[in-house]
Amino acid sequence: MLEKKLRWMTLGGQYDWATKRYPSERPPAFPRDIATLLMVLFPQIRPEAAIVNLYSPGDTLSLHRDVSEQSEQDLVSAIAAKKRESIFSSFPSQWRLPGPVVSAHDQRDVSGSYLHQYLSPREIEITETDALAILERTTTGKWKSRDVVEAFCHRAALAHQLTNCLHEVFFDQALNNAEALDRHFAEHGRPVGPLHGLPVSLKDQFHVKDVETTMGYIGWIGTFQGLRGTGRERVFESELVKELRSMGAVLYCKTSVPHTLMSGETVNNIIGYTWNPKNRRLSSGGSSGGEGALLGLRGSPLGFGTDIGGSIRIPAAFNGLFGLRPSSGRLPYEGMANSMDGQNSLLSVVGPLSHSVPALRLVVRSILDQKPWFSDPMVHEIPWRVDEENRMLELIHGRSLGEPRLAFAVLRHDGIVQPQPPVRRAVGLAVRALERLGHTVFEWDPPSHRTSNDLTGAIWLLDGGNDAHASLRLSGEPISRQVAGAFGQEPKQEASASKIAVTNVAKRQWQKQYMDYWNSTVNLTGTGRPVDAVIAPVAPFAAALPEKYGYYGYTTFVNLLDYTSCVIPVTHVDKELDIVDPEYQFLNSQDKSVWESYDPDVYDGTPVAIQVIGRRLQEEKVLALSELLTDALSARGGT
């Protein structure tokens, strides 16, 4: 409205222009999207009437109908713009970048030395310290929690300006909480808990007191998950949020997601596109893409995302991070916002991202020590199993050199889409690192992953996209092209109960086939055990070009099996090594699209990762094996 220099506007007017009178009957329900706009612009009022006129002196009514019709989409944009501006305006002036943000053409990589120019040496020292080392200092009083939190708040503000990675910032609340932790330590001489003073970022599915949750939807602004008057707005907290607070963690921001959460790229109509900080011509991943970008710029030492099809592992891989996808029921999801809530055929899980395996282990073990099965009915009563961890460490370290101690399988190619050259090289580096340690590695030839792809797609569309489209309709905002590929522009027919049952049976049958195949590898390993873990790509590319994430098969089969998986960074794209094979024969149209999207010059320098996959509820084992492989790669300069 303001951009068009209009001085007045009528919203939802019911005036009878023919008789020049107002109707005598009660006006209709106030339009929700217009109510949302007014409550954002004027939070002190609650619109209930169906007639709202905004005027300034000298106005006339001759253009009433035209203005109302032309301004409808502008109203939605105004709500998003106000929300977007509120993020930036919350940054202290000294934390704002001088002048316009440098273009990706002029500065592709904004991590490391580029970002250092805006930080003090002390801030660099703090923010480039691993989460484990931070806790060694904050829990012993060597570092003040406030100093640590303020440094990460500053770096997070910079990260957002360069990549669009934040939805919510509550720095003042975080600094107050950090000061309270410092007072506690000064008074009692001990930390509040194992995460005392550690800044922790959260994907914008977590509910935090005094903070909004939009999950990327304009229609959720000013609401509780799209609803008003629930009594939960800015009061309710997710269970994991409560547990993190009780352990001394300091929450300070919530990170960007694609609306609906169902995309490997992060884009929505509030903050736009979230870019990869190591290569801003590429995606930061999704749906925990804000976490990926923020941690990739070390604006957070540890964060939490969710994963229903790769949404922890994809951002971890694209941004050179470590990320754990636990099996469902290991960590508490209770009280979090979600898409398709109540769809139990393929559950989303919550898990951590950080800069090392020990950091992942520490936070998972700390959460389990809180006994989350007493606050979330979906969590299994499985404490951290020290015996399982020790048994794996004995296998890693306890036998003579030269005797195969562990057995791994490698999935180089799923038979559907060939990974691009950098990913193939990263998998090869991981295999050779394990072989140098004397471990057995053989090729993985499981039941067809086409079945997994078909079942996953069917499950995601059991509700016909009705949940996603209902949230989009709250404001009338357009669906992103990345999401529209799956959900379309309109909802589809929902599956019947019988169809859901048939799908669940097919899923269980495929899980059994995969289980039997894994068990059968006892005849191949030479260890007397089936294979210990599978090494596989996370995606067919190091990172996705915008609107080019066309294949999810390397992550979704893990979700369908509900296996545990940990992403570890391996190398970076090298345009001199990762060249295109001009003789490659495409397997299908998906394979052709992925292969042709690779450009060594565009991808040069981008992180490349792999995933270490274990069976269900094997978090202790998978983390131990991931650390083994990470150390082996580091010893040879692989990571």
Side-chain angles (χ1 to χ4, degrees):
M1 181 177 73
L2 298 178
E3 290 175 358
K4 293 185 177 183
K5 297 182 172 57
L6 301 173
R7 295 184 301 157
W8 59 268
M9 176 176 58
T10 301
L11 306 176
Q14 299 298 313
Y15 188 72
D16 187 336
W17 291 92
T19 62
K20 293 185 170 52
R21 66 178 180 82
Y22 289 100
S24 58
E25 65 270 16
R26 181 180 177 83
F30 201 91
R32 180 176 290 189
D33 54 346
I34 297 172
T36 300
L37 171 70
L38 293 176
M39 293 182 77
V40 170
L41 295 177
F42 309 107
Q44 72 276 15
I45 64 132
R46 180 179 180 84
E48 295 178 347
I51 305 167
V52 176
N53 299 299
L54 307 178
Y55 300 103
S56 60
D59 292 334
T60 64
L61 298 179
S62 59
L63 297 178
H64 166 77
R65 289 192 177 93
D66 290 340
V67 172
S68 296
E69 292 167 3
Q70 293 173 12
S71 299
E72 181 176 355
Q73 192 55 48
D74 290 345
L75 304 182
V76 177
S77 299
I79 297 170
K82 184 177 177 65
K83 181 67 175 178
R84 186 165 56 248
E85 175 58 27
S86 71
I87 302 170
F88 180 76
S89 62
S90 68
F91 301 152
S93 58
Q94 65 271 25
W95 290 359
R96 300 175 189 175
L97 294 176
V101 175
V102 64
S103 70
H105 179 271
D106 293 331
Q107 186 66 45
R108 180 187 297 189
D109 183 353
V110 292
S111 64
S113 59
Y114 180 83
L115 198 64
H116 289 173
Q117 65 182 305
Y118 304 112
L119 298 164
S120 70
R122 176 63 170 157
E123 287 174 322
I124 295 171
E125 178 192 10
I126 291 172
T127 55
E128 298 193 2
T129 300
D130 178 74
L132 215 61
I134 290 173
L135 286 169
E136 289 172 358
R137 292 160 173 79
T138 55
T139 58
T140 57
K142 293 178 182 177
W143 281 2
K144 296 288 188 184
S145 298
R146 193 192 194 285
D147 293 341
V148 173
V149 171
E150 187 170 28
F152 277 102
C153 287
H154 185 190
R155 195 149 180 162
L158 296 171
H160 177 69
Q161 293 170 77
L162 293 166
T163 64
N164 301 328
C165 62
L166 301 181
H167 276 182
E168 304 289 337
V169 294
F170 36 106
F171 296 162
D172 290 342
Q173 179 189 125
L175 292 170
N176 289 336
N177 291 341
E179 289 172 355
L181 291 172
D182 289 334
R183 289 193 298 271
H184 178 276
F185 194 93
E187 181 178 350
H188 301 284
R190 64 177 184 275
V192 165
L195 303 184
H196 182 102
L198 182 69
V200 174
S201 52
L202 302 171
K203 184 178 185 177
D204 192 23
Q205 288 180 255
F206 290 86
H207 291 296
V208 179
K209 186 178 179 181
D210 297 324
V211 181
E212 199 161 60
T213 300
T214 68
M215 219 169 74
Y217 290 118
I218 296 176
W220 281 27
I221 295 173
T223 74
F224 181 81
Q225 298 180 187
L227 301 174
R228 296 189 181 278
T230 67
R232 292 179 150 195
E233 293 87 342
R234 296 176 178 265
V235 175
F236 180 79
E237 287 202 320
S238 306
E239 288 300 328
L240 186 52
V241 168
K242 298 175 187 177
E243 293 178 4
L244 289 169
R245 288 193 195 279
S246 71
M247 292 184 285
V250 180
L251 313 176
Y252 64 111
C253 64
K254 295 205 294 178
T255 52
S256 57
V257 301
H259 57 212
T260 76
L261 306 176
M262 303 302 290
S263 174
E265 302 172 57
T266 293
V267 58
N268 61 60
N269 296 311
I270 299 175
I271 53 92
Y273 197 93
T274 303
W275 297 99
N276 189 318
K278 305 294 179 67
N279 186 339
R280 289 189 301 153
R281 298 179 69 176
L282 302 174
S283 170
S284 66
S287 62
S288 310
E291 284 297 317
L294 181 65
L295 272 90
L297 279 174
R298 289 193 171 266
S300 171
L302 186 141
F304 281 89
T306 62
D307 194 315
I308 194 175
S311 295
I312 290 171
R313 291 163 290 153
I314 292 165
F318 287 10
N319 296 279
L321 306 168
F322 296 82
L324 178 68
R325 187 258 178 220
S327 293
S328 61
R330 197 71 203 271
L331 297 180
Y333 209 107
E334 177 66 23
M336 291 175 59
N338 202 4
S339 287
M340 302 177 290
D341 196 16
Q343 177 279 109
N344 287 351
S345 299
L346 185 60
L347 290 173
S348 176
V349 300
V350 62
L353 300 89
S354 194
H355 300 100
S356 71
V357 173
L360 301 181
R361 180 187 294 113
L362 172 69
V363 73
V364 171
R365 184 169 184 172
S366 297
I367 292 169
L368 294 179
D369 285 346
Q370 305 303 303
K371 301 181 179 179
W373 44 88
F374 290 128
S375 60
D376 184 341
M378 298 293 286
V379 173
H380 304 299
E381 190 171 344
I382 305 176
W384 181 263
R385 294 166 293 192
V386 177
D387 56 340
E388 291 289 329
E389 183 179 25
N390 289 340
R391 186 177 299 115
M392 186 51 50
L393 292 175
E394 288 174 4
L395 288 171
I396 292 172
H397 302 297
R399 296 187 181 179
S400 61
L401 294 175
E403 181 182 352
R405 291 168 285 173
L406 296 168
F408 294 84
V410 56
L411 178 68
R412 300 179 191 271
H413 183 350
D414 68 357
I416 304 167
V417 171
Q418 172 82 284
Q420 293 175 352
V423 178
R424 294 164 62 190
R425 181 167 63 88
V427 171
L429 287 170
V431 169
R432 287 192 291 277
L434 292 169
E435 290 176 335
R436 281 193 299 269
L437 294 176
H439 301 302
T440 300
V441 183
F442 61 90
E443 301 298 318
W444 192 241
D445 186 23
S448 173
H449 282 199
R450 290 187 184 278
T451 303
S452 166
N453 294 346
D454 292 343
L455 286 170
T456 301
I459 290 169
W460 285 350
L461 288 173
L462 287 176
D463 82 331
N466 277 275
D467 177 76
H469 283 286
S471 290
L472 292 165
R473 282 197 303 268
L474 292 174
S475 66
E477 65 180 298
I479 190 172
S480 71
R481 286 187 289 271
Q482 287 86 345
V483 175
F487 290 101
Q489 296 296 330
E490 297 291 337
K492 302 178 178 66
Q493 179 67 41
E494 295 184 72
S496 66
S498 297
K499 173 64 174 176
I500 294 171
V502 168
T503 301
N504 288 340
V505 169
K507 182 193 78 167
R508 188 177 70 239
Q509 291 172 340
W510 192 75
Q511 288 174 324
K512 180 63 165 68
Q513 292 172 19
Y514 221 95
M515 175 186 287
D516 290 344
Y517 173 71
W518 194 304
N519 291 339
S520 73
T521 62
V522 70
N523 300 315
L524 302 174
T525 60
T527 65
R529 305 183 310 276
V531 62
D532 291 298
V534 178
I535 306 301
V538 179
F541 26 66
L545 289 162
E547 299 185 41
K548 293 292 186 179
Y549 207 136
Y551 187 71
Y552 293 90
Y554 285 101
T555 49
T556 53
F557 83 95
V558 176
N559 296 84
L560 197 70
L561 295 165
D562 196 22
Y563 282 172
T564 304
S565 173
C566 184
V567 168
I568 64 172
V570 174
T571 186
H572 292 79
V573 178
D574 185 330
K575 65 181 181 181
E576 303 300 329
L577 296 176
D578 302 316
I579 58 177
V580 177
D581 178 5
E583 303 300 320
Y584 178 68
Q585 299 295 310
F586 307 123
L587 300 176
N588 50 61
S589 59
Q590 277 184 310
D591 188 46
K592 182 175 187 289
S593 176
V594 167
W595 194 259
E596 291 181 342
S597 70
Y598 176 61
D599 182 333
D601 289 318
V602 171
Y603 274 86
D604 192 41
T606 303
V608 194
I610 55 96
Q611 57 182 328
V612 178
I613 303 167
R615 303 175 94 161
R616 288 188 68 239
L617 300 166
Q618 290 189 340
E619 288 74 25
E620 295 89 347
K621 179 178 182 178
V622 167
L623 288 171
L625 295 176
S626 298
E627 188 169 22
L628 163 71
L629 182 50
T630 300
D631 291 344
L633 287 164
S634 297
R636 301 286 296 193
T639 56

Coordinates of all heavy atoms in Angstrom, one line a residue, residues 223-265:
T223 N 0.5 -16.0 15.8 CA -0.4 -17.1 16.2 C 0.3 -18.2 16.9 O 1.6 -18.1 17.1 CB -1.1 -17.7 14.9 OG1 -0.1 -18.5 14.2 CG2 -1.6 -16.7 14.0
F224 N -0.4 -19.2 17.3 CA 0.2 -20.5 17.7 C -0.1 -21.5 16.7 O -1.2 -22.0 16.6 CB -0.3 -20.9 19.1 CG 0.3 -22.2 19.6 CD1 1.6 -22.1 20.2 CD2 -0.3 -23.4 19.5 CE1 2.2 -23.3 20.7 CE2 0.3 -24.6 19.9 CZ 1.6 -24.5 20.5
Q225 N 0.9 -21.7 15.8 CA 0.7 -22.7 14.7 C -0.5 -22.4 13.9 O -1.2 -23.3 13.5 CB 0.7 -24.1 15.3 CG 2.0 -24.5 16.0 CD 2.0 -25.9 16.6 OE1 2.9 -26.3 17.3 NE2 1.0 -26.7 16.3
G226 N -0.7 -21.1 13.6 CA -1.8 -20.7 12.8 C -3.1 -20.5 13.5 O -4.1 -20.1 12.8
L227 N -3.2 -20.7 14.8 CA -4.4 -20.5 15.6 C -4.3 -19.4 16.5 O -3.2 -19.1 17.0 CB -4.7 -21.8 16.4 CG -4.9 -23.1 15.6 CD1 -5.1 -24.3 16.5 CD2 -6.1 -23.0 14.6
R228 N -5.4 -18.7 16.8 CA -5.4 -17.6 17.7 C -6.2 -17.9 18.9 O -7.1 -18.7 18.9 CB -6.0 -16.3 17.0 CG -5.1 -15.8 15.8 CD -5.6 -14.5 15.3 NE -4.8 -14.0 14.2 CZ -3.6 -13.4 14.3 NH1 -3.2 -13.2 15.5 NH2 -3.0 -13.1 13.3
G229 N -5.9 -17.2 20.0 CA -6.7 -17.3 21.2 C -6.5 -18.7 21.9 O -7.4 -19.1 22.6
T230 N -5.4 -19.4 21.7 CA -5.2 -20.7 22.3 C -4.6 -20.6 23.7 O -4.7 -21.6 24.4 CB -4.2 -21.5 21.4 OG1 -2.9 -20.9 21.5 CG2 -4.6 -21.6 20.0
G231 N -4.1 -19.4 24.1 CA -3.5 -19.3 25.4 C -2.0 -19.8 25.4 O -1.3 -19.7 26.4
R232 N -1.6 -20.3 24.2 CA -0.2 -20.9 24.1 C 0.8 -19.9 23.5 O 2.0 -20.2 23.5 CB -0.2 -22.2 23.4 CG -0.9 -23.3 24.1 CD -0.9 -24.6 23.3 NE -0.9 -25.8 24.1 CZ -0.6 -27.0 23.7 NH1 -0.3 -27.2 22.4 NH2 -0.7 -28.0 24.5
E233 N 0.2 -18.9 22.8 CA 1.1 -18.0 22.1 C 2.2 -17.4 23.0 O 1.9 -16.8 24.0 CB 0.2 -16.8 21.5 CG -0.7 -17.3 20.4 CD -2.1 -17.7 20.9 OE1 -2.2 -18.0 22.1 OE2 -3.0 -17.8 20.1
R234 N 3.4 -17.6 22.6 CA 4.6 -17.0 23.3 C 4.7 -17.5 24.7 O 5.4 -16.8 25.5 CB 4.6 -15.5 23.2 CG 4.7 -15.0 21.8 CD 4.7 -13.5 21.7 NE 4.8 -12.9 20.4 CZ 6.0 -12.5 19.9 NH1 7.1 -12.6 20.6 NH2 6.1 -12.0 18.7
V235 N 4.0 -18.5 25.1 CA 4.0 -19.1 26.5 C 4.5 -20.5 26.5 O 5.3 -20.9 27.3 CB 2.6 -19.0 27.2 CG1 2.7 -19.6 28.5 CG2 2.2 -17.5 27.2
F236 N 4.0 -21.3 25.6 CA 4.2 -22.7 25.5 C 5.7 -23.0 25.1 O 6.3 -22.3 24.3 CB 3.3 -23.4 24.5 CG 3.5 -24.9 24.4 CD1 2.9 -25.7 25.3 CD2 4.2 -25.4 23.3 CE1 3.1 -27.1 25.2 CE2 4.3 -26.8 23.1 CZ 3.8 -27.6 24.1
E237 N 6.3 -24.0 25.7 CA 7.6 -24.5 25.4 C 7.7 -26.0 25.0 O 7.0 -26.8 25.7 CB 8.6 -24.2 26.5 CG 8.9 -22.7 26.6 CD 10.3 -22.4 27.3 OE1 10.6 -23.1 28.3 OE2 11.0 -21.5 26.9
S238 N 8.5 -26.3 24.0 CA 8.7 -27.7 23.7 C 9.5 -28.4 24.8 O 10.2 -27.8 25.5 CB 9.5 -27.8 22.4 OG 8.8 -27.1 21.3
E239 N 9.3 -29.7 25.0 CA 9.9 -30.4 26.0 C 11.4 -30.4 26.0 O 12.1 -30.2 27.0 CB 9.5 -31.9 26.0 CG 8.0 -32.1 26.5 CD 7.8 -31.6 27.9 OE1 8.7 -31.7 28.8 OE2 6.7 -31.2 28.2
L240 N 12.0 -30.5 24.8 CA 13.5 -30.4 24.7 C 14.0 -29.1 25.0 O 15.1 -28.9 25.6 CB 13.9 -30.8 23.2 CG 15.4 -30.9 23.0 CD1 16.1 -31.9 24.0 CD2 15.7 -31.4 21.6
V241 N 13.2 -28.0 24.8 CA 13.6 -26.7 25.2 C 13.8 -26.6 26.7 O 14.8 -26.1 27.3 CB 12.6 -25.6 24.7 CG1 12.9 -24.3 25.3 CG2 12.7 -25.5 23.2
K242 N 12.8 -27.2 27.4 CA 12.8 -27.2 28.9 C 14.1 -28.0 29.4 O 14.7 -27.5 30.3 CB 11.6 -27.8 29.4 CG 10.3 -27.1 29.1 CD 9.1 -27.9 29.6 CE 7.8 -27.2 29.2 NZ 6.6 -28.1 29.6
E243 N 14.3 -29.1 28.7 CA 15.5 -29.9 29.2 C 16.8 -29.2 28.9 O 17.7 -29.3 29.7 CB 15.4 -31.3 28.5 CG 14.2 -32.1 29.0 CD 14.0 -33.4 28.3 OE1 14.9 -33.8 27.5 OE2 13.0 -34.1 28.6
L244 N 16.9 -28.5 27.8 CA 18.2 -27.8 27.5 C 18.4 -26.7 28.5 O 19.5 -26.5 29.0 CB 18.1 -27.2 26.0 CG 18.2 -28.3 24.9 CD1 17.8 -27.6 23.6 CD2 19.6 -28.9 24.8
R245 N 17.3 -26.0 28.8 CA 17.4 -24.9 29.8 C 17.9 -25.5 31.2 O 18.8 -24.9 31.8 CB 16.1 -24.2 30.0 CG 15.7 -23.3 28.9 CD 14.5 -22.5 29.4 NE 13.8 -21.8 28.3 CZ 14.2 -20.7 27.8 NH1 15.3 -20.1 28.1 NH2 13.4 -20.1 26.8
S246 N 17.3 -26.6 31.5 CA 17.6 -27.2 32.9 C 19.1 -27.7 32.9 O 19.6 -27.7 34.0 CB 16.7 -28.4 33.1 OG 17.0 -29.5 32.3
M247 N 19.7 -27.9 31.8 CA 21.1 -28.3 31.8 C 22.0 -27.2 31.6 O 23.3 -27.4 31.5 CB 21.3 -29.3 30.6 CG 20.6 -30.7 30.8 SD 21.0 -31.9 29.5 CE 20.0 -31.3 28.2
G248 N 21.5 -25.9 31.6 CA 22.3 -24.8 31.5 C 22.6 -24.2 30.1 O 23.4 -23.2 30.0
A249 N 22.0 -24.8 29.1 CA 22.2 -24.3 27.7 C 21.5 -22.9 27.6 O 20.5 -22.6 28.3 CB 21.6 -25.2 26.7
V250 N 22.1 -22.0 26.8 CA 21.5 -20.7 26.6 C 21.0 -20.7 25.1 O 21.7 -20.8 24.2 CB 22.6 -19.6 26.8 CG1 21.9 -18.2 26.5 CG2 23.2 -19.7 28.2
L251 N 19.7 -20.5 25.0 CA 19.0 -20.4 23.7 C 19.0 -19.0 23.3 O 18.6 -18.1 24.1 CB 17.6 -21.0 23.8 CG 17.5 -22.4 24.6 CD1 16.1 -22.8 24.7 CD2 18.3 -23.4 23.9
Y252 N 19.2 -18.7 22.0 CA 19.4 -17.3 21.6 C 18.8 -17.0 20.2 O 18.7 -15.9 19.8 CB 20.9 -16.9 21.6 CG 21.8 -17.7 20.7 CD1 22.3 -17.0 19.6 CD2 22.1 -19.0 20.9 CE1 23.2 -17.7 18.7 CE2 22.9 -19.7 20.0 CZ 23.5 -19.0 18.9 OH 24.3 -19.7 18.1
C253 N 18.5 -18.0 19.4 CA 18.0 -17.8 18.1 C 17.3 -19.0 17.5 O 17.5 -20.2 18.0 CB 19.0 -17.3 17.1 SG 20.3 -18.6 16.7
K254 N 16.4 -18.8 16.6 CA 15.7 -19.9 15.9 C 16.0 -19.7 14.4 O 15.9 -18.6 13.9 CB 14.2 -20.0 16.2 CG 13.9 -20.3 17.6 CD 12.6 -21.0 17.8 CE 11.4 -20.1 17.5 NZ 10.1 -20.7 17.6
T255 N 16.2 -20.8 13.7 CA 16.8 -20.7 12.3 C 15.7 -21.1 11.3 O 14.7 -21.7 11.5 CB 18.0 -21.7 12.2 OG1 17.6 -23.0 12.7 CG2 19.1 -21.2 13.1
S256 N 16.1 -20.7 10.1 CA 15.1 -20.7 8.9 C 14.8 -22.1 8.4 O 15.7 -23.0 8.5 CB 15.7 -19.9 7.8 OG 17.0 -20.3 7.4
V257 N 13.6 -22.3 7.9 CA 13.2 -23.5 7.3 C 12.4 -23.2 6.1 O 11.9 -22.1 5.9 CB 12.3 -24.3 8.3 CG1 13.0 -24.6 9.6 CG2 11.0 -23.5 8.6
P258 N 12.2 -24.1 5.1 CA 11.3 -24.0 4.0 C 9.9 -24.1 4.6 O 9.6 -25.0 5.4 CB 11.7 -25.1 3.1 CG 12.3 -26.1 4.0 CD 13.0 -25.4 5.1
H259 N 8.9 -23.3 4.1 CA 7.6 -23.6 4.6 C 7.2 -25.0 4.1 O 7.6 -25.4 3.1 CB 6.6 -22.5 4.1 CG 6.5 -22.3 2.6 ND1 6.2 -21.0 2.1 CD2 6.6 -23.1 1.6 CE1 6.1 -21.1 0.8 NE2 6.4 -22.4 0.4
T260 N 6.5 -25.6 5.0 CA 6.0 -27.1 4.9 C 7.1 -28.0 5.4 O 6.9 -29.1 5.8 CB 5.7 -27.5 3.5 OG1 6.8 -27.8 2.7 CG2 4.7 -26.6 2.8
L261 N 8.4 -27.5 5.5 CA 9.6 -28.3 5.9 C 10.0 -29.4 4.9 O 11.0 -30.0 5.0 CB 9.3 -29.1 7.3 CG 8.8 -28.2 8.4 CD1 8.6 -29.1 9.6 CD2 9.9 -27.2 8.8
M262 N 9.2 -29.5 3.8 CA 9.4 -30.6 2.9 C 10.2 -30.2 1.7 O 9.8 -30.3 0.5 CB 8.0 -31.2 2.5 CG 7.1 -31.6 3.6 SD 7.9 -32.9 4.7 CE 7.9 -34.2 3.6
S263 N 11.5 -29.8 1.9 CA 12.4 -29.5 0.8 C 13.8 -29.6 1.3 O 14.1 -29.3 2.5 CB 12.1 -28.0 0.3 OG 13.0 -27.6 -0.6
G264 N 14.7 -30.0 0.4 CA 16.1 -30.0 0.7 C 16.8 -28.7 0.5 O 18.0 -28.6 0.6
E265 N 16.0 -27.7 0.1 CA 16.4 -26.3 0.0 C 15.6 -25.5 1.0 O 14.4 -25.8 1.2 CB 16.3 -25.7 -1.4 CG 17.0 -26.5 -2.4 CD 16.6 -25.9 -3.8 OE1 16.8 -24.7 -4.1 OE2 16.1 -26.8 -4.6

